[in-house]
Amino acid sequence: MKLDLLNTLYTEVKTPELHGRYITNSHIEPCLDKLLKPIKKTLGYSVENRPIYSLTYGHGAIKVLLWSQMHGNESTSTKALFDCFNLFESDNKTAKRLLEHCTLVVIPILNPDGAERYTRLNANLVDLNRDAQDLTQPESEILRQAYYIEKPDYCFNLHGQRTLFSAGETNHVATLSFLSPAQDSERTLTANRKAAMVIIAEINRLLQDEIPNGIGRYDDGFNLNCVGDTFQNFGVPTLLYEAGHYANDYDREEVRRLMFIAILKGLDVLIDNVEPENYKSYFSIPENGKLFNDIIIRNVKRSDMGELVDVAIQYKEVLISSELRFVPVVDAITELSPKFGHKEIDANGSTVTTLDHSDLILGSEIVFVMIDNEEISLKP
């Protein structure tokens, strides 16, 4: 698959009904109703009795299990999946090829209660990605049953990550990140881990032209309570996808496009045969750092001290009346030369205060600041 082709396909199949970060069952259900080709099922129900849906596309020999919104506030890949569904509904030759070779079983929202609340956790305040062994939650049991029933050859575990991640210890944001999870405490490079690494390396190779130096790799510390580590431990190549930040894209619509490309490219690699011996280029992807804040105000003079400091602002995502708002919060007041801001403001040695001219306070929510009597908005 070529990048130009995938970008063209995206413009043709993007699902306009899904937009922004707040995506719930009520948003996807009208979209599900429009889909004609998949086998649709309700696999079970969440803690609060919301349905957990699955769709099966294709009839090929390679079976892939994909799931999104295990964490309810990580919705970018859900949007990308529905864009993929629209492609699969078409007679496009790319779609036909994928569905002739693959059988795709997709759970678009595994955690509908968390999605409704826009929280990472489910309604019982459990992180489903730490429940892979105990299986205390109905959503965890539903995913495990899907795994046992479908017996997938590959698993795609689709997530979203915060804006703080850098691709390595650099000023390049990790717009996408990936991981071939460990399957034992020794992090053994088994054949199935290598297979996942090969797929990730090929996705990285394709997307470097689109987001150069913008892809990171997570540390592969082993935790069998995580779903990816568990499925890898079962011997099935498992890929963790993480949708991150792109410049000025807090709705993650550009990242949605990149996830669409990454999902389709991952499937394409499966069809072309995964050669485990080609795994080594996976390690050329830089390991993620945490070097970004949403905003950094540089060279701020504090009224209570002589030296200049930097002020880091991080957005808190707050759901108010079904609308997601990004609330700026003072995250740090210190010298921040090792870090970078997605937006940077130079105070040039001036004081920075709130609208009532009081000092900034660590942890405070502040939408506007005053610099040299000029009002500066901190909204995204």
PDB file of all heavy atoms in Angstrom, residues 110-146:
ATOM      1  N   LEU A 110     -15.057  -1.196  23.704  1.00  0.00           N
ATOM      2  CA  LEU A 110     -15.086  -2.259  24.718  1.00  0.00           C
ATOM      3  C   LEU A 110     -15.602  -1.747  26.052  1.00  0.00           C
ATOM      4  O   LEU A 110     -16.168  -2.510  26.833  1.00  0.00           O
ATOM      5  CB  LEU A 110     -13.677  -2.842  24.880  1.00  0.00           C
ATOM      6  CG  LEU A 110     -13.547  -3.978  25.888  1.00  0.00           C
ATOM      7  CD1 LEU A 110     -14.348  -5.206  25.450  1.00  0.00           C
ATOM      8  CD2 LEU A 110     -12.081  -4.351  26.102  1.00  0.00           C
ATOM      9  N   ASN A 111     -15.411  -0.468  26.323  1.00  0.00           N
ATOM     10  CA  ASN A 111     -15.750   0.118  27.623  1.00  0.00           C
ATOM     11  C   ASN A 111     -16.788   1.228  27.429  1.00  0.00           C
ATOM     12  O   ASN A 111     -16.466   2.419  27.552  1.00  0.00           O
ATOM     13  CB  ASN A 111     -14.475   0.648  28.285  1.00  0.00           C
ATOM     14  CG  ASN A 111     -14.703   1.274  29.646  1.00  0.00           C
ATOM     15  OD1 ASN A 111     -15.801   1.250  30.192  1.00  0.00           O
ATOM     16  ND2 ASN A 111     -13.651   1.860  30.209  1.00  0.00           N
ATOM     17  N   PRO A 112     -18.040   0.884  27.123  1.00  0.00           N
ATOM     18  CA  PRO A 112     -19.034   1.933  26.833  1.00  0.00           C
ATOM     19  C   PRO A 112     -19.399   2.797  28.033  1.00  0.00           C
ATOM     20  O   PRO A 112     -19.789   3.955  27.858  1.00  0.00           O
ATOM     21  CB  PRO A 112     -20.249   1.150  26.317  1.00  0.00           C
ATOM     22  CG  PRO A 112     -20.081  -0.231  26.869  1.00  0.00           C
ATOM     23  CD  PRO A 112     -18.604  -0.473  26.934  1.00  0.00           C
ATOM     24  N   ASP A 113     -19.276   2.270  29.245  1.00  0.00           N
ATOM     25  CA  ASP A 113     -19.558   3.097  30.428  1.00  0.00           C
ATOM     26  C   ASP A 113     -18.476   4.159  30.599  1.00  0.00           C
ATOM     27  O   ASP A 113     -18.772   5.331  30.884  1.00  0.00           O
ATOM     28  CB  ASP A 113     -19.627   2.227  31.685  1.00  0.00           C
ATOM     29  CG  ASP A 113     -20.732   1.184  31.627  1.00  0.00           C
ATOM     30  OD1 ASP A 113     -21.638   1.315  30.783  1.00  0.00           O
ATOM     31  OD2 ASP A 113     -20.663   0.215  32.415  1.00  0.00           O
ATOM     32  N   GLY A 114     -17.222   3.768  30.428  1.00  0.00           N
ATOM     33  CA  GLY A 114     -16.137   4.740  30.483  1.00  0.00           C
ATOM     34  C   GLY A 114     -16.234   5.752  29.364  1.00  0.00           C
ATOM     35  O   GLY A 114     -15.935   6.938  29.549  1.00  0.00           O
ATOM     36  N   ALA A 115     -16.671   5.291  28.184  1.00  0.00           N
ATOM     37  CA  ALA A 115     -16.856   6.213  27.063  1.00  0.00           C
ATOM     38  C   ALA A 115     -17.926   7.249  27.390  1.00  0.00           C
ATOM     39  O   ALA A 115     -17.771   8.437  27.089  1.00  0.00           O
ATOM     40  CB  ALA A 115     -17.238   5.434  25.808  1.00  0.00           C
ATOM     41  N   GLU A 116     -19.005   6.823  28.017  1.00  0.00           N
ATOM     42  CA  GLU A 116     -20.092   7.735  28.371  1.00  0.00           C
ATOM     43  C   GLU A 116     -19.616   8.795  29.350  1.00  0.00           C
ATOM     44  O   GLU A 116     -19.995   9.972  29.251  1.00  0.00           O
ATOM     45  CB  GLU A 116     -21.252   6.937  28.976  1.00  0.00           C
ATOM     46  CG  GLU A 116     -22.541   7.712  29.109  1.00  0.00           C
ATOM     47  CD  GLU A 116     -23.214   7.981  27.773  1.00  0.00           C
ATOM     48  OE1 GLU A 116     -23.014   7.200  26.824  1.00  0.00           O
ATOM     49  OE2 GLU A 116     -23.936   8.992  27.678  1.00  0.00           O
ATOM     50  N   ARG A 117     -18.776   8.397  30.303  1.00  0.00           N
ATOM     51  CA  ARG A 117     -18.259   9.323  31.325  1.00  0.00           C
ATOM     52  C   ARG A 117     -17.001  10.060  30.859  1.00  0.00           C
ATOM     53  O   ARG A 117     -16.532  10.966  31.532  1.00  0.00           O
ATOM     54  CB  ARG A 117     -17.901   8.545  32.593  1.00  0.00           C
ATOM     55  CG  ARG A 117     -19.077   7.974  33.350  1.00  0.00           C
ATOM     56  CD  ARG A 117     -18.543   7.075  34.470  1.00  0.00           C
ATOM     57  NE  ARG A 117     -19.555   6.696  35.420  1.00  0.00           N
ATOM     58  CZ  ARG A 117     -20.461   5.748  35.214  1.00  0.00           C
ATOM     59  NH1 ARG A 117     -20.463   5.086  34.066  1.00  0.00           N
ATOM     60  NH2 ARG A 117     -21.364   5.454  36.139  1.00  0.00           N
ATOM     61  N   TYR A 118     -16.449   9.621  29.752  1.00  0.00           N
ATOM     62  CA  TYR A 118     -15.149  10.078  29.281  1.00  0.00           C
ATOM     63  C   TYR A 118     -14.079   9.872  30.364  1.00  0.00           C
ATOM     64  O   TYR A 118     -13.387  10.790  30.810  1.00  0.00           O
ATOM     65  CB  TYR A 118     -15.172  11.538  28.825  1.00  0.00           C
ATOM     66  CG  TYR A 118     -13.962  11.893  27.972  1.00  0.00           C
ATOM     67  CD1 TYR A 118     -13.885  11.490  26.652  1.00  0.00           C
ATOM     68  CD2 TYR A 118     -12.894  12.600  28.508  1.00  0.00           C
ATOM     69  CE1 TYR A 118     -12.772  11.787  25.882  1.00  0.00           C
ATOM     70  CE2 TYR A 118     -11.777  12.896  27.744  1.00  0.00           C
ATOM     71  CZ  TYR A 118     -11.723  12.492  26.432  1.00  0.00           C
ATOM     72  OH  TYR A 118     -10.611  12.780  25.668  1.00  0.00           O
ATOM     73  N   THR A 119     -13.959   8.614  30.775  1.00  0.00           N
ATOM     74  CA  THR A 119     -12.952   8.241  31.762  1.00  0.00           C
ATOM     75  C   THR A 119     -12.177   7.033  31.266  1.00  0.00           C
ATOM     76  O   THR A 119     -12.671   6.237  30.465  1.00  0.00           O
ATOM     77  CB  THR A 119     -13.580   7.885  33.119  1.00  0.00           C
ATOM     78  OG1 THR A 119     -14.463   6.772  32.957  1.00  0.00           O
ATOM     79  CG2 THR A 119     -14.337   9.064  33.697  1.00  0.00           C
ATOM     80  N   ARG A 120     -10.995   6.886  31.767  1.00  0.00           N
ATOM     81  CA  ARG A 120     -10.162   5.728  31.455  1.00  0.00           C
ATOM     82  C   ARG A 120     -10.783   4.446  31.995  1.00  0.00           C
ATOM     83  O   ARG A 120     -10.748   3.395  31.354  1.00  0.00           O
ATOM     84  CB  ARG A 120      -8.771   5.940  32.064  1.00  0.00           C
ATOM     85  CG  ARG A 120      -7.789   4.794  31.876  1.00  0.00           C
ATOM     86  CD  ARG A 120      -6.474   5.125  32.571  1.00  0.00           C
ATOM     87  NE  ARG A 120      -5.529   4.019  32.503  1.00  0.00           N
ATOM     88  CZ  ARG A 120      -4.642   3.854  31.533  1.00  0.00           C
ATOM     89  NH1 ARG A 120      -4.594   4.720  30.537  1.00  0.00           N
ATOM     90  NH2 ARG A 120      -3.797   2.831  31.547  1.00  0.00           N
ATOM     91  N   LEU A 121     -11.366   4.535  33.196  1.00  0.00           N
ATOM     92  CA  LEU A 121     -11.838   3.361  33.921  1.00  0.00           C
ATOM     93  C   LEU A 121     -13.262   3.000  33.522  1.00  0.00           C
ATOM     94  O   LEU A 121     -13.968   3.773  32.892  1.00  0.00           O
ATOM     95  CB  LEU A 121     -11.768   3.639  35.421  1.00  0.00           C
ATOM     96  CG  LEU A 121     -10.430   4.169  35.946  1.00  0.00           C
ATOM     97  CD1 LEU A 121     -10.516   4.428  37.434  1.00  0.00           C
ATOM     98  CD2 LEU A 121      -9.296   3.212  35.612  1.00  0.00           C
ATOM     99  N   ASN A 122     -13.684   1.795  33.927  1.00  0.00           N
ATOM    100  CA  ASN A 122     -15.079   1.412  33.689  1.00  0.00           C
ATOM    101  C   ASN A 122     -15.945   1.910  34.840  1.00  0.00           C
ATOM    102  O   ASN A 122     -15.489   2.638  35.726  1.00  0.00           O
ATOM    103  CB  ASN A 122     -15.194  -0.099  33.456  1.00  0.00           C
ATOM    104  CG  ASN A 122     -15.132  -0.922  34.741  1.00  0.00           C
ATOM    105  OD1 ASN A 122     -14.681  -0.449  35.788  1.00  0.00           O
ATOM    106  ND2 ASN A 122     -15.580  -2.166  34.656  1.00  0.00           N
ATOM    107  N   ALA A 123     -17.226   1.516  34.850  1.00  0.00           N
ATOM    108  CA  ALA A 123     -18.156   2.035  35.857  1.00  0.00           C
ATOM    109  C   ALA A 123     -17.790   1.600  37.269  1.00  0.00           C
ATOM    110  O   ALA A 123     -18.167   2.264  38.244  1.00  0.00           O
ATOM    111  CB  ALA A 123     -19.583   1.607  35.525  1.00  0.00           C
ATOM    112  N   ASN A 124     -17.048   0.501  37.404  1.00  0.00           N
ATOM    113  CA  ASN A 124     -16.586   0.049  38.722  1.00  0.00           C
ATOM    114  C   ASN A 124     -15.213   0.612  39.077  1.00  0.00           C
ATOM    115  O   ASN A 124     -14.578   0.146  40.030  1.00  0.00           O
ATOM    116  CB  ASN A 124     -16.527  -1.485  38.760  1.00  0.00           C
ATOM    117  CG  ASN A 124     -17.905  -2.104  38.871  1.00  0.00           C
ATOM    118  OD1 ASN A 124     -18.840  -1.488  39.378  1.00  0.00           O
ATOM    119  ND2 ASN A 124     -18.047  -3.339  38.394  1.00  0.00           N
ATOM    120  N   LEU A 125     -14.761   1.596  38.299  1.00  0.00           N
ATOM    121  CA  LEU A 125     -13.467   2.260  38.527  1.00  0.00           C
ATOM    122  C   LEU A 125     -12.299   1.287  38.405  1.00  0.00           C
ATOM    123  O   LEU A 125     -11.297   1.380  39.125  1.00  0.00           O
ATOM    124  CB  LEU A 125     -13.447   2.953  39.894  1.00  0.00           C
ATOM    125  CG  LEU A 125     -14.558   3.975  40.143  1.00  0.00           C
ATOM    126  CD1 LEU A 125     -14.401   4.623  41.507  1.00  0.00           C
ATOM    127  CD2 LEU A 125     -14.600   5.029  39.039  1.00  0.00           C
ATOM    128  N   VAL A 126     -12.429   0.361  37.462  1.00  0.00           N
ATOM    129  CA  VAL A 126     -11.383  -0.613  37.191  1.00  0.00           C
ATOM    130  C   VAL A 126     -10.770  -0.311  35.828  1.00  0.00           C
ATOM    131  O   VAL A 126     -11.476  -0.043  34.859  1.00  0.00           O
ATOM    132  CB  VAL A 126     -11.941  -2.052  37.198  1.00  0.00           C
ATOM    133  CG1 VAL A 126     -10.897  -3.059  36.721  1.00  0.00           C
ATOM    134  CG2 VAL A 126     -12.422  -2.419  38.598  1.00  0.00           C
ATOM    135  N   ASP A 127      -9.436  -0.344  35.789  1.00  0.00           N
ATOM    136  CA  ASP A 127      -8.719  -0.227  34.521  1.00  0.00           C
ATOM    137  C   ASP A 127      -8.753  -1.600  33.855  1.00  0.00           C
ATOM    138  O   ASP A 127      -8.115  -2.550  34.328  1.00  0.00           O
ATOM    139  CB  ASP A 127      -7.282   0.217  34.786  1.00  0.00           C
ATOM    140  CG  ASP A 127      -6.491   0.481  33.512  1.00  0.00           C
ATOM    141  OD1 ASP A 127      -6.862  -0.049  32.445  1.00  0.00           O
ATOM    142  OD2 ASP A 127      -5.487   1.219  33.583  1.00  0.00           O
ATOM    143  N   LEU A 128      -9.484  -1.713  32.765  1.00  0.00           N
ATOM    144  CA  LEU A 128      -9.634  -3.008  32.095  1.00  0.00           C
ATOM    145  C   LEU A 128      -8.297  -3.538  31.587  1.00  0.00           C
ATOM    146  O   LEU A 128      -8.138  -4.754  31.431  1.00  0.00           O
ATOM    147  CB  LEU A 128     -10.624  -2.895  30.934  1.00  0.00           C
ATOM    148  CG  LEU A 128     -12.037  -2.435  31.298  1.00  0.00           C
ATOM    149  CD1 LEU A 128     -12.895  -2.367  30.036  1.00  0.00           C
ATOM    150  CD2 LEU A 128     -12.677  -3.358  32.329  1.00  0.00           C
ATOM    151  N   ASN A 129      -7.345  -2.652  31.368  1.00  0.00           N
ATOM    152  CA  ASN A 129      -6.036  -3.092  30.904  1.00  0.00           C
ATOM    153  C   ASN A 129      -5.123  -3.498  32.052  1.00  0.00           C
ATOM    154  O   ASN A 129      -3.921  -3.672  31.848  1.00  0.00           O
ATOM    155  CB  ASN A 129      -5.364  -2.001  30.066  1.00  0.00           C
ATOM    156  CG  ASN A 129      -4.340  -2.574  29.115  1.00  0.00           C
ATOM    157  OD1 ASN A 129      -4.444  -3.722  28.689  1.00  0.00           O
ATOM    158  ND2 ASN A 129      -3.333  -1.781  28.767  1.00  0.00           N
ATOM    159  N   ARG A 130      -5.680  -3.638  33.224  1.00  0.00           N
ATOM    160  CA  ARG A 130      -4.971  -4.253  34.340  1.00  0.00           C
ATOM    161  C   ARG A 130      -5.790  -5.406  34.915  1.00  0.00           C
ATOM    162  O   ARG A 130      -5.533  -5.875  36.024  1.00  0.00           O
ATOM    163  CB  ARG A 130      -4.682  -3.219  35.452  1.00  0.00           C
ATOM    164  CG  ARG A 130      -3.817  -2.051  35.007  1.00  0.00           C
ATOM    165  CD  ARG A 130      -2.429  -2.474  34.590  1.00  0.00           C
ATOM    166  NE  ARG A 130      -1.600  -1.316  34.230  1.00  0.00           N
ATOM    167  CZ  ARG A 130      -1.524  -0.799  33.015  1.00  0.00           C
ATOM    168  NH1 ARG A 130      -2.239  -1.320  32.018  1.00  0.00           N
ATOM    169  NH2 ARG A 130      -0.745   0.238  32.764  1.00  0.00           N
ATOM    170  N   ASP A 131      -6.743  -5.878  34.154  1.00  0.00           N
ATOM    171  CA  ASP A 131      -7.685  -6.906  34.628  1.00  0.00           C
ATOM    172  C   ASP A 131      -7.604  -8.179  33.783  1.00  0.00           C
ATOM    173  O   ASP A 131      -8.514  -8.996  33.783  1.00  0.00           O
ATOM    174  CB  ASP A 131      -9.111  -6.329  34.577  1.00  0.00           C
ATOM    175  CG  ASP A 131     -10.132  -7.159  35.346  1.00  0.00           C
ATOM    176  OD1 ASP A 131      -9.786  -7.670  36.432  1.00  0.00           O
ATOM    177  OD2 ASP A 131     -11.272  -7.303  34.855  1.00  0.00           O
ATOM    178  N   ALA A 132      -6.495  -8.355  33.081  1.00  0.00           N
ATOM    179  CA  ALA A 132      -6.396  -9.463  32.133  1.00  0.00           C
ATOM    180  C   ALA A 132      -6.226 -10.815  32.811  1.00  0.00           C
ATOM    181  O   ALA A 132      -6.514 -11.853  32.206  1.00  0.00           O
ATOM    182  CB  ALA A 132      -5.240  -9.224  31.168  1.00  0.00           C
ATOM    183  N   GLN A 133      -5.796 -10.828  34.060  1.00  0.00           N
ATOM    184  CA  GLN A 133      -5.643 -12.090  34.776  1.00  0.00           C
ATOM    185  C   GLN A 133      -6.843 -12.391  35.671  1.00  0.00           C
ATOM    186  O   GLN A 133      -7.393 -13.491  35.650  1.00  0.00           O
ATOM    187  CB  GLN A 133      -4.353 -12.073  35.601  1.00  0.00           C
ATOM    188  CG  GLN A 133      -3.103 -12.087  34.748  1.00  0.00           C
ATOM    189  CD  GLN A 133      -3.029 -13.304  33.850  1.00  0.00           C
ATOM    190  OE1 GLN A 133      -3.078 -14.443  34.309  1.00  0.00           O
ATOM    191  NE2 GLN A 133      -2.907 -13.063  32.550  1.00  0.00           N
ATOM    192  N   ASP A 134      -7.258 -11.388  36.438  1.00  0.00           N
ATOM    193  CA  ASP A 134      -8.357 -11.624  37.374  1.00  0.00           C
ATOM    194  C   ASP A 134      -9.717 -11.659  36.689  1.00  0.00           C
ATOM    195  O   ASP A 134     -10.641 -12.334  37.171  1.00  0.00           O
ATOM    196  CB  ASP A 134      -8.362 -10.539  38.463  1.00  0.00           C
ATOM    197  CG  ASP A 134      -7.131 -10.610  39.347  1.00  0.00           C
ATOM    198  OD1 ASP A 134      -6.541 -11.706  39.440  1.00  0.00           O
ATOM    199  OD2 ASP A 134      -6.753  -9.575  39.919  1.00  0.00           O
ATOM    200  N   LEU A 135      -9.868 -10.937  35.584  1.00  0.00           N
ATOM    201  CA  LEU A 135     -11.131 -10.902  34.833  1.00  0.00           C
ATOM    202  C   LEU A 135     -12.314 -10.616  35.761  1.00  0.00           C
ATOM    203  O   LEU A 135     -13.320 -11.322  35.762  1.00  0.00           O
ATOM    204  CB  LEU A 135     -11.343 -12.218  34.076  1.00  0.00           C
ATOM    205  CG  LEU A 135     -10.272 -12.592  33.040  1.00  0.00           C
ATOM    206  CD1 LEU A 135     -10.554 -13.958  32.449  1.00  0.00           C
ATOM    207  CD2 LEU A 135     -10.174 -11.527  31.949  1.00  0.00           C
ATOM    208  N   THR A 136     -12.192  -9.541  36.532  1.00  0.00           N
ATOM    209  CA  THR A 136     -13.235  -9.211  37.507  1.00  0.00           C
ATOM    210  C   THR A 136     -14.409  -8.461  36.897  1.00  0.00           C
ATOM    211  O   THR A 136     -15.450  -8.326  37.543  1.00  0.00           O
ATOM    212  CB  THR A 136     -12.642  -8.343  38.638  1.00  0.00           C
ATOM    213  OG1 THR A 136     -12.184  -7.090  38.084  1.00  0.00           O
ATOM    214  CG2 THR A 136     -11.492  -9.049  39.324  1.00  0.00           C
ATOM    215  N   GLN A 137     -14.244  -7.952  35.671  1.00  0.00           N
ATOM    216  CA  GLN A 137     -15.250  -7.085  35.079  1.00  0.00           C
ATOM    217  C   GLN A 137     -15.921  -7.751  33.880  1.00  0.00           C
ATOM    218  O   GLN A 137     -15.280  -8.519  33.150  1.00  0.00           O
ATOM    219  CB  GLN A 137     -14.612  -5.764  34.641  1.00  0.00           C
ATOM    220  CG  GLN A 137     -13.919  -5.030  35.762  1.00  0.00           C
ATOM    221  CD  GLN A 137     -14.862  -4.743  36.923  1.00  0.00           C
ATOM    222  OE1 GLN A 137     -15.884  -4.086  36.749  1.00  0.00           O
ATOM    223  NE2 GLN A 137     -14.511  -5.229  38.116  1.00  0.00           N
ATOM    224  N   PRO A 138     -17.192  -7.459  33.645  1.00  0.00           N
ATOM    225  CA  PRO A 138     -17.869  -8.088  32.498  1.00  0.00           C
ATOM    226  C   PRO A 138     -17.212  -7.741  31.173  1.00  0.00           C
ATOM    227  O   PRO A 138     -17.153  -8.583  30.269  1.00  0.00           O
ATOM    228  CB  PRO A 138     -19.297  -7.528  32.583  1.00  0.00           C
ATOM    229  CG  PRO A 138     -19.225  -6.327  33.465  1.00  0.00           C
ATOM    230  CD  PRO A 138     -18.106  -6.592  34.417  1.00  0.00           C
ATOM    231  N   GLU A 139     -16.675  -6.524  31.059  1.00  0.00           N
ATOM    232  CA  GLU A 139     -16.024  -6.137  29.805  1.00  0.00           C
ATOM    233  C   GLU A 139     -14.762  -6.972  29.565  1.00  0.00           C
ATOM    234  O   GLU A 139     -14.476  -7.358  28.426  1.00  0.00           O
ATOM    235  CB  GLU A 139     -15.661  -4.648  29.839  1.00  0.00           C
ATOM    236  CG  GLU A 139     -16.848  -3.715  30.026  1.00  0.00           C
ATOM    237  CD  GLU A 139     -17.163  -3.377  31.477  1.00  0.00           C
ATOM    238  OE1 GLU A 139     -16.657  -4.096  32.385  1.00  0.00           O
ATOM    239  OE2 GLU A 139     -17.891  -2.399  31.716  1.00  0.00           O
ATOM    240  N   SER A 140     -14.029  -7.260  30.640  1.00  0.00           N
ATOM    241  CA  SER A 140     -12.830  -8.098  30.519  1.00  0.00           C
ATOM    242  C   SER A 140     -13.207  -9.506  30.088  1.00  0.00           C
ATOM    243  O   SER A 140     -12.544 -10.116  29.236  1.00  0.00           O
ATOM    244  CB  SER A 140     -12.089  -8.150  31.858  1.00  0.00           C
ATOM    245  OG  SER A 140     -11.759  -6.866  32.326  1.00  0.00           O
ATOM    246  N   GLU A 141     -14.274 -10.032  30.660  1.00  0.00           N
ATOM    247  CA  GLU A 141     -14.721 -11.377  30.311  1.00  0.00           C
ATOM    248  C   GLU A 141     -15.192 -11.438  28.860  1.00  0.00           C
ATOM    249  O   GLU A 141     -14.956 -12.431  28.158  1.00  0.00           O
ATOM    250  CB  GLU A 141     -15.849 -11.810  31.251  1.00  0.00           C
ATOM    251  CG  GLU A 141     -15.399 -12.018  32.693  1.00  0.00           C
ATOM    252  CD  GLU A 141     -16.532 -12.438  33.602  1.00  0.00           C
ATOM    253  OE1 GLU A 141     -17.707 -12.329  33.172  1.00  0.00           O
ATOM    254  OE2 GLU A 141     -16.252 -12.886  34.721  1.00  0.00           O
ATOM    255  N   ILE A 142     -15.845 -10.382  28.403  1.00  0.00           N
ATOM    256  CA  ILE A 142     -16.340 -10.351  27.021  1.00  0.00           C
ATOM    257  C   ILE A 142     -15.166 -10.390  26.039  1.00  0.00           C
ATOM    258  O   ILE A 142     -15.195 -11.135  25.042  1.00  0.00           O
ATOM    259  CB  ILE A 142     -17.220  -9.104  26.808  1.00  0.00           C
ATOM    260  CG1 ILE A 142     -18.575  -9.313  27.489  1.00  0.00           C
ATOM    261  CG2 ILE A 142     -17.393  -8.786  25.328  1.00  0.00           C
ATOM    262  CD1 ILE A 142     -19.401  -8.049  27.612  1.00  0.00           C
ATOM    263  N   LEU A 143     -14.122  -9.606  26.298  1.00  0.00           N
ATOM    264  CA  LEU A 143     -12.960  -9.629  25.413  1.00  0.00           C
ATOM    265  C   LEU A 143     -12.293 -10.990  25.434  1.00  0.00           C
ATOM    266  O   LEU A 143     -11.920 -11.530  24.381  1.00  0.00           O
ATOM    267  CB  LEU A 143     -11.965  -8.545  25.818  1.00  0.00           C
ATOM    268  CG  LEU A 143     -10.683  -8.486  24.987  1.00  0.00           C
ATOM    269  CD1 LEU A 143     -10.987  -8.226  23.512  1.00  0.00           C
ATOM    270  CD2 LEU A 143      -9.725  -7.414  25.525  1.00  0.00           C
ATOM    271  N   ARG A 144     -12.157 -11.583  26.604  1.00  0.00           N
ATOM    272  CA  ARG A 144     -11.514 -12.889  26.692  1.00  0.00           C
ATOM    273  C   ARG A 144     -12.335 -13.952  25.965  1.00  0.00           C
ATOM    274  O   ARG A 144     -11.778 -14.819  25.272  1.00  0.00           O
ATOM    275  CB  ARG A 144     -11.312 -13.285  28.147  1.00  0.00           C
ATOM    276  CG  ARG A 144     -10.597 -14.643  28.331  1.00  0.00           C
ATOM    277  CD  ARG A 144      -9.194 -14.643  27.733  1.00  0.00           C
ATOM    278  NE  ARG A 144      -8.365 -13.631  28.347  1.00  0.00           N
ATOM    279  CZ  ARG A 144      -7.695 -13.803  29.495  1.00  0.00           C
ATOM    280  NH1 ARG A 144      -7.750 -14.960  30.129  1.00  0.00           N
ATOM    281  NH2 ARG A 144      -6.967 -12.822  29.983  1.00  0.00           N
ATOM    282  N   GLN A 145     -13.652 -13.908  26.099  1.00  0.00           N
ATOM    283  CA  GLN A 145     -14.496 -14.873  25.391  1.00  0.00           C
ATOM    284  C   GLN A 145     -14.375 -14.682  23.878  1.00  0.00           C
ATOM    285  O   GLN A 145     -14.342 -15.666  23.125  1.00  0.00           O
ATOM    286  CB  GLN A 145     -15.950 -14.739  25.837  1.00  0.00           C
ATOM    287  CG  GLN A 145     -16.232 -15.354  27.201  1.00  0.00           C
ATOM    288  CD  GLN A 145     -15.867 -16.834  27.253  1.00  0.00           C
ATOM    289  OE1 GLN A 145     -16.261 -17.630  26.395  1.00  0.00           O
ATOM    290  NE2 GLN A 145     -15.092 -17.210  28.276  1.00  0.00           N
ATOM    291  N   ALA A 146     -14.313 -13.443  23.441  1.00  0.00           N
ATOM    292  CA  ALA A 146     -14.126 -13.194  22.004  1.00  0.00           C
ATOM    293  C   ALA A 146     -12.807 -13.798  21.534  1.00  0.00           C
ATOM    294  O   ALA A 146     -12.736 -14.393  20.444  1.00  0.00           O
ATOM    295  CB  ALA A 146     -14.159 -11.698  21.719  1.00  0.00           C
TER     296      ALA A 146
END
